[in-house]
C-alpha cells in the first residue's frame, strides 16, 4: 500500500460503493478508448488491456495513486471544468468505479492517496484554504481531527490506522513545528519526534509502526526514524557515522515485517550512494556489485520494498542505469530493452518487477520482469506510447497508453 536521483538528465530521458456519480463528467478520453478489453500481441506474449473505467466506459481514471493486494486501484477522475472538486478520487474494482465524495459540498479539493486491503482510502479535502485529513470507509468520508489547523493523511494500514501530518502555519519564519499522529478510530497518538526536527509521514504498517522522515524547514540535515508503541526504535539519520545532510538521502519503504530500506552517502568513500536495510534490529549496508552507486530512494521508483524483504533499485554504472532486484543478499541485474537508461517502478511479493527502459533507438518503453524473463510491454494497437505505475499481487501491470496529442488512457494489462 504504498507507493522515492538525483539528476535532471535521467528524468529528461524517460517520460516519466457507488458506481460512478450522477452528473460527473467523463474524463477527456474518447469513449471508444475506455470500453472493452483489448487483446494484442507483445512479442511472443499475448496481452489483455482492460480500461480502468466503468464497463460502459464512463468515469475513467486519469491517474493511479495506489493499489491494494486484492488488485483494487485508487486514482482520480476529471470531473470537467467548473466541477467542485475538479479532480475527485475514485476506486476501480473489476470494471466498477466508486467515486469518493468530500465531507462537505463546497470542498475545493478532495484527494485520497492511500488504499488498504479492505477498500478504505485516506487522504484529505480542502475547504476555506485549509486541508483536513480524511478517511473513507465504504465510500463514506470521516474527517480526522488531530487538533491542528491543517492536516493530511499520508499513510494507512489494514487495521484502519492512519498516519497524519498536521501543522498550524504552513510556512515562513514563524511557522510552527508540525505534528505527526497515528489515528486509530477515535484515538489520536502523537508521534514523539527526535529533538529539533520537523516531521513527515512516510508509511505505517500493519503492526502500527510509523516510518517518519525528518527535516529542518530553514535548511539542515535530513533523516528518518521508525516509531513503535510510543518510542523511536531505530534512527536512520546517521548511517556509517555521518550525521550530515549529504549522508542521509531518503527512505524508500517500510513493509509488514518492519523492514526499512533507504539511501545514504558514506563518509567512508566510494562506492556512493549506498543502500541501508534495517531488519529485526540489524542494520545492513549494501553497495553496487561492480563498485557503482545504487539508488532505491528515488522519485522514479514508486515502491522499492516488498513484504518479503526484497528490494529493487538501479545501478549507476558505466553501462548507464540498470535496474536490479536484491533478494536474500543476491543481486539480479534485470537488464534493459537495449538503451542506456532503465529503472524499476514497483515490485510485488512474487518478485515480479515493472519499470521503464529506453530501447536501442532511444525511444521510451516499459517492461515486466518475471521468473528471469524481461518482457517488452508494448502499447495496444492505435496507441503510440506506454508507461507503467505498479504491478499487482496477481501479476497484472497497471499503467497508461497514449496517442500523440491525446489524453492518456489507464489500463490493467494482463500478460499471458
Amino acid at each position: 500500500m504504498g507507493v522515492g536521483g538525483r539528476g535532471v538528465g535521467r528524468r529528461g530521458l524517460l517520460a516519466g460503493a457507488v458506481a460512478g456519480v450522477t452528473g460527473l463528467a467523463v474524463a477527456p478520453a474518447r469513449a471508444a478508448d475506455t470500453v472493452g478489453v483489448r487483446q494484442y500481441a507483445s512479442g511472443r506474449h499475448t496481452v489483455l488491456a482492460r480500461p480502468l473505467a466503468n464497463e460502459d466506459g464512463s468515469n475513467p481514471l486519469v491517474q493511479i495513486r495506489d493499489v491494494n493486494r486484492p488488485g483494487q486501484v485508487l486514482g482520480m477522475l476529471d470531473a470537467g471544468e467548473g466541477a467542485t472538486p475538479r479532480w475527485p478520487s475514485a476506486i476501480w474494482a473489476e470494471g466498477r468505479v466508486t467515486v469518493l465524495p468530500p465531507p462537505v459540498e463546497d470542498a475545493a479539493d478532495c484527494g485520497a492517496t492511500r488504499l488498504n486491503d479492505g477498500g478504505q482510502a485516506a487522504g484529505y479535502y480542502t475547504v476555506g484554504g485549509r486541508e483536513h485529513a480524511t478517511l473513507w470507509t465504504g465510500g463514506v468520508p470521516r474527517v480526522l481531527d488531530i487538533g491542528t489547523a491543517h492536516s493530511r493523511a499520508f499513510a494507512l494500514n489494514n487495521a484502519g490506522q492512519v498516519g497524519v501530518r498536521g501543522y498550524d502555519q504552513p510556512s515562513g519564519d514563524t511557522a510552527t513545528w508540525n505534528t505527526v499522529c497515528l489515528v486509530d478510530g477515535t484515538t489520536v497518538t502523537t508521534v514523539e519526534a527526535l529533538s529539533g526536527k520537523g516531521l513527515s509521514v512516510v508509511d505505517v504498517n500493519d503492526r502500527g509502526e510509523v516510518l517518519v522522515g525528518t527535516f529542518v524547514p530553514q535548511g539542515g540535515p535530513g533523516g528518518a526514524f521508525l516509531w513503535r508503541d510510543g518510542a523511536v526504535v531505530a534512527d536512520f539519520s546517521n548511517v556509517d557515522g555521518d550525521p550530515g545532510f549529504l549522508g542521509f538521502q531518503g527512505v524508500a519503504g517500510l513493509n509488514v515485517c518492519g523492514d526499512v530500506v533507504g539511501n545514504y552517502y558514506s563518509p567512508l568513500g566510494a562506492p556512493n550512494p549506498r543502500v541501508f536495510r534495517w531488519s529485526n534490529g540489524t542494520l545492513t549496508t549494501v553497495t553496487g556489485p561492480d563498485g557503482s552507486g545504487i539508488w532505491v530512494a528515488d522519485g522514479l521508483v514508486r515502491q522499492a520494498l516488498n513484504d518479503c524483504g526484497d528490494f529493487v533499485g538501479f545501478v549507476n554504472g558505466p553501462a548507464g542505469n540498470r535496474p536490479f532486484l536484491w533478494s536474500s543478499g543476491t543481486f539480479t541485474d534485470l537488464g534493459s530493452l537495449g538503451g542506456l537508461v532503465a529503472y524499476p517502478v514497483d515490485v510485488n511479493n512474487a518478485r515480479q518487477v515493472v519499470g521503464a527502459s529506453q530501447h536501442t533507438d532511444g525511444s521510451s518503453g516499459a517492461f515486466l520482469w518475471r521468473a528471469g524473463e524481461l518482457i517488452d510491454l508494448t502499447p495496444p494497437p492505435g496507441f503510440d506510447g506506454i508507461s507503467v505505475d505498479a504491478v499487482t499481487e496477481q501479476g497484472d501491470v497497471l499503467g497508461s497508453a497514449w496517442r500523440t496529442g491525446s489524453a492518456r488512457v489507464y489500463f490493467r494489462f494482463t500478460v499471458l
Side-chain angles (χ1 to χ4, degrees), residues 82-270:
T84 303
R86 169 67 191 274
W87 309 99
S89 298
I91 299 173
W92 179 90
E94 294 299 335
R96 187 175 186 181
V97 176
T98 300
V99 182
L100 302 179
V104 295
E105 291 185 359
D106 57 346
D109 193 12
C110 183
T113 57
R114 301 305 294 268
L115 182 69
N116 70 12
D117 293 348
Q120 289 180 300
Y124 69 100
Y125 83 97
T126 303
V127 64
R130 291 187 174 183
E131 292 183 347
H132 301 270
T134 306
L135 175 68
W136 286 264
T137 302
V140 178
R142 179 171 72 89
V143 178
L144 307 177
D145 183 8
I146 64 169
T148 57
H150 303 262
S151 63
R152 182 185 288 207
F154 284 92
L156 172 67
N157 68 13
N158 288 317
Q161 296 174 312
V162 187
V164 178
R165 177 177 181 260
Y167 56 93
D168 291 320
Q169 184 174 325
S171 62
D173 293 337
T174 61
T176 56
W177 289 106
N178 58 285
T179 299
V180 165
C181 295
L182 181 66
V183 180
D184 187 355
T186 59
T187 302
V188 178
T189 304
T190 300
V191 175
E192 296 298 331
L194 298 177
S195 177
K197 300 289 185 180
L199 307 178
S200 61
V201 183
V202 179
D203 208 351
V204 55
N205 66 13
D206 291 350
R207 305 198 304 189
E209 297 171 316
V210 184
L211 182 59
V212 181
T214 66
F215 62 94
V216 177
Q218 287 76 28
F225 63 87
L226 185 65
W227 179 93
R228 181 178 64 224
D229 297 330
V232 174
V233 296
D235 178 9
F236 308 115
S237 307
N238 194 7
V239 182
D240 276 357
D242 184 359
F245 179 75
L246 292 179
F248 177 82
Q249 291 293 303
V251 282
L254 166 71
N255 68 12
V256 294
C257 301
D259 300 334
V260 178
V261 295
N263 270 117
Y264 75 104
Y265 273 86
S266 174
L268 304 177

Side-chain angles (χ1 to χ4, degrees), residues 319-323 334-342 356-367 374 376:
N321 285 3
R322 300 279 291 190
L334 305 185
S336 76
L337 300 179
L340 294 177
V341 179
S357 173
Q358 287 180 324
H359 293 99
T360 303
D361 63 4
S363 62
S364 299
F367 68 81
L374 186 71
D376 186 350

Side-chain angles (χ1 to χ4, degrees), residues 32-65:
D33 292 339
T34 58
V35 178
V37 177
R38 296 156 174 77
Q39 178 174 314
Y40 66 99
S42 182
R44 65 185 185 87
H45 291 273
T46 297
V47 178
L48 305 178
R50 185 173 188 176
L52 299 181
N54 284 323
E55 294 288 359
D56 63 1
S58 63
N59 291 352
L61 298 190
V62 296
Q63 188 184 82
I64 294 173
R65 288 176 170 169

Side-chain angles (χ1 to χ4, degrees), residues 8-23:
V8 174
R10 283 207 315 273
R11 297 175 187 271
L13 285 169
L14 285 171
V18 178
V21 166
T22 302

